[in-house]
Amino acid sequence: MSGRAAGLRWGTRTFLTLALVVCAGVVTAALVALAVGPPLFHQHLLELGGSVGAAQMDHVEQAFIDAGSASLGVGLAVALLLATALAWLETRRLSRPLNALTTASAQLEAGDLAARVPRDTTPEFDAVAVAFNDMAERLHSTEESRRRLLGDVAHELRTPLATLSAELEAVIDDVLPWDAASQDVLIHQVERLRLIAQDLDDVSRAEEGRFTLDRREVATEELIAPVVAAAAGRFEAKGVQLRSIIDDGPVWADPQRVGQILSNLLDNALRHTPAGGNVTVTAHRDRTAVIVTVTDTGDGLSADQLQHVFERFYRADAARARDAGGSGIGLTIARSLALAHDGSLTASSTGPGNGSTFTLVLPAPQTRAS
């Protein structure tokens, strides 16, 4: 049954119910008037005593019954008509927003995520419309994210798969020899596929809160120095200077997961900082948290890019990031891990060409959740 048909059936049932209530009230009023009125009038006549004869009393009582019945009948008929009309109008007023809600629900169920319910002047129905529209908007946003994710994943997988396919065909057809260079190409692309799969699993678990953190009190130097040391070779190979300034102190964190956050931030900085540039990692502590920043002198970010930089597969420069082998979700994973630590990860930049700064805030030991 369509939404409108269901709404009409509800309206018909509601109108008939109200009409039945009105009719019951009219019949009840008539029966009570006929049962109470004549005996009460007769009692008053008896109290007059001998001033009224028997024949006159019968005539007066009959006149009272006739006049009362006629006036009561007309009054009740008019009341019935007015009440029925009001019930019909009220039913129509209530049916409009309900029909709209039912129709929009049916459209949403059929896959039309653009379906919305118009606002109503009745506060209660307006609140329902607002709640429904908010739900529909969230569903639409989720579906858009799902479609974009599927498209992005397909795009990410297409490049390494195409390279693998072309390389294998060339080797099979003896166009290229099977040598160390060919093996390196295949190994590199397989590793890229592995990293994409790992990143997809990580971002899914992080956003669903399925990460298990092994948090403990650890020195900031012990947390950051190994990550910087591990990345130093890549920075040196590109000609980008990497340095760290660490104000040592305790932090409450999972060393492995924080290392993953910092590795993603350093990889991002390296991709967007040209040769001759600088990347600086700093760490200091305030009263409640340890604040770690990764600042680069690279491409920088516009205001619009800052709003989307932590979204899955978002790239300020898609071609460059893809050529550099990034999966496009490293920053998404990093922020999710920061939030899992009851911390935060934010980005700032004064504009394109002016570099960018990513700020990681982690709780200090005395401020951790009990």
Side-chain angles (χ1 to χ4, degrees):
M1 179 180 295
S2 67
R4 184 168 180 80
L8 288 174
R9 201 171 82 169
W10 176 89
T12 301
R13 290 200 309 269
T14 302
F15 172 73
L16 291 177
T17 300
L18 292 175
L20 182 62
V21 171
V22 171
C23 290
V26 168
V27 171
T28 301
L31 292 176
V32 170
L34 292 175
V36 175
L40 184 61
F41 184 74
H42 181 75
Q43 181 64 33
H44 283 292
L45 288 178
L46 291 178
E47 290 177 357
L48 291 176
S51 60
V52 180
Q56 292 176 321
M57 182 177 293
D58 290 340
H59 178 73
V60 170
E61 286 183 345
Q62 186 61 44
F64 171 78
I65 293 173
D66 293 342
S69 299
S71 58
L72 180 63
V74 172
L76 291 177
V78 172
L80 178 63
L81 290 175
L82 289 176
T84 303
L86 290 174
W88 181 75
L89 291 174
E90 182 66 10
T91 301
R92 281 181 57 85
R93 187 185 71 84
L94 295 177
S95 295
R96 281 196 299 269
L98 289 175
N99 286 337
L101 180 61
T102 304
T103 300
S105 298
Q107 292 174 339
L108 201 64
E109 182 183 6
D112 181 9
L113 299 181
R116 297 293 184 272
V117 179
R119 300 285 294 270
D120 193 77
T121 55
T122 306
E124 292 78 11
F125 283 117
D126 186 63
V128 173
V130 170
F132 180 91
N133 291 339
D134 288 345
M135 177 195 69
E137 186 63 33
R138 288 193 298 272
L139 288 175
H140 186 268
S141 177
T142 301
E143 179 63 15
E144 286 296 314
S145 297
R146 185 189 68 83
R147 290 177 180 175
R148 187 170 61 250
L149 174 62
L150 290 176
D152 288 336
V153 169
H155 190 89
E156 292 300 324
L157 296 177
R158 190 177 297 120
T159 299
L161 288 174
T163 303
L164 284 171
S165 178
E167 191 74 15
L168 287 173
E169 287 180 6
V171 171
I172 293 172
D173 295 338
D174 292 327
V175 176
L176 292 175
W178 178 249
D179 54 14
S182 297
Q183 293 181 41
D184 288 343
V185 170
L186 295 180
I187 292 173
H188 175 74
Q189 297 303 325
V190 169
E191 179 64 14
R192 185 173 177 184
L193 287 173
R194 188 192 68 80
L195 290 176
I196 291 173
Q198 181 62 49
D199 282 350
L200 287 172
D201 181 63
D202 282 348
V203 76
S204 175
R205 289 193 295 139
E207 292 184 342
E208 294 175 9
R210 293 189 289 116
F211 268 131
T212 301
L213 299 179
D214 181 19
R215 286 189 281 188
R216 60 181 184 271
E217 186 174 324
V218 58
T220 307
E221 176 76 25
E222 180 184 342
L223 197 65
I224 298 175
V227 181
V228 174
R234 301 196 305 275
F235 278 78
E236 183 178 356
K238 188 176 179 180
V240 177
Q241 182 182 4
L242 174 62
R243 62 194 183 106
S244 60
I245 305 172
I246 302 174
D247 179 13
D248 200 15
V251 63
W252 184 252
D254 181 334
Q256 180 182 354
R257 294 305 185 184
V258 173
Q260 189 175 359
I261 296 173
L262 294 175
S263 293
N264 284 334
L265 294 180
L266 288 176
D267 287 344
N268 179 74
L270 182 60
R271 279 196 298 271
H272 295 283
T273 303
N278 299 289
V279 174
T280 303
V281 181
T282 66
H284 69 276
R285 178 176 171 176
D286 63 11
R287 292 182 303 172
T288 61
V290 173
I291 302 170
V292 182
T293 63
V294 177
T295 303
D296 63 65
T297 58
D299 300 336
L301 295 166
S302 67
D304 181 66
Q305 290 168 344
L306 285 172
Q307 295 179 0
H308 302 284
V309 70
F310 292 108
E311 293 180 3
R312 289 177 295 187
F313 296 106
Y314 178 79
R315 292 184 174 90
D317 185 343
R320 174 181 292 184
R322 193 167 288 117
D323 292 340
S327 68
I329 52 180
L331 292 179
T332 308
I333 296 171
R335 185 180 64 169
S336 297
L337 287 171
L339 294 176
H341 278 82
D342 301 318
S344 64
L345 178 61
T346 57
S348 61
S349 176
T350 56
N354 296 322
S356 57
T357 298
F358 287 82
T359 303
L360 171 65
V361 178
L362 296 171
Q366 69 267 27
T367 62
R368 67 183 186 269
S370 59

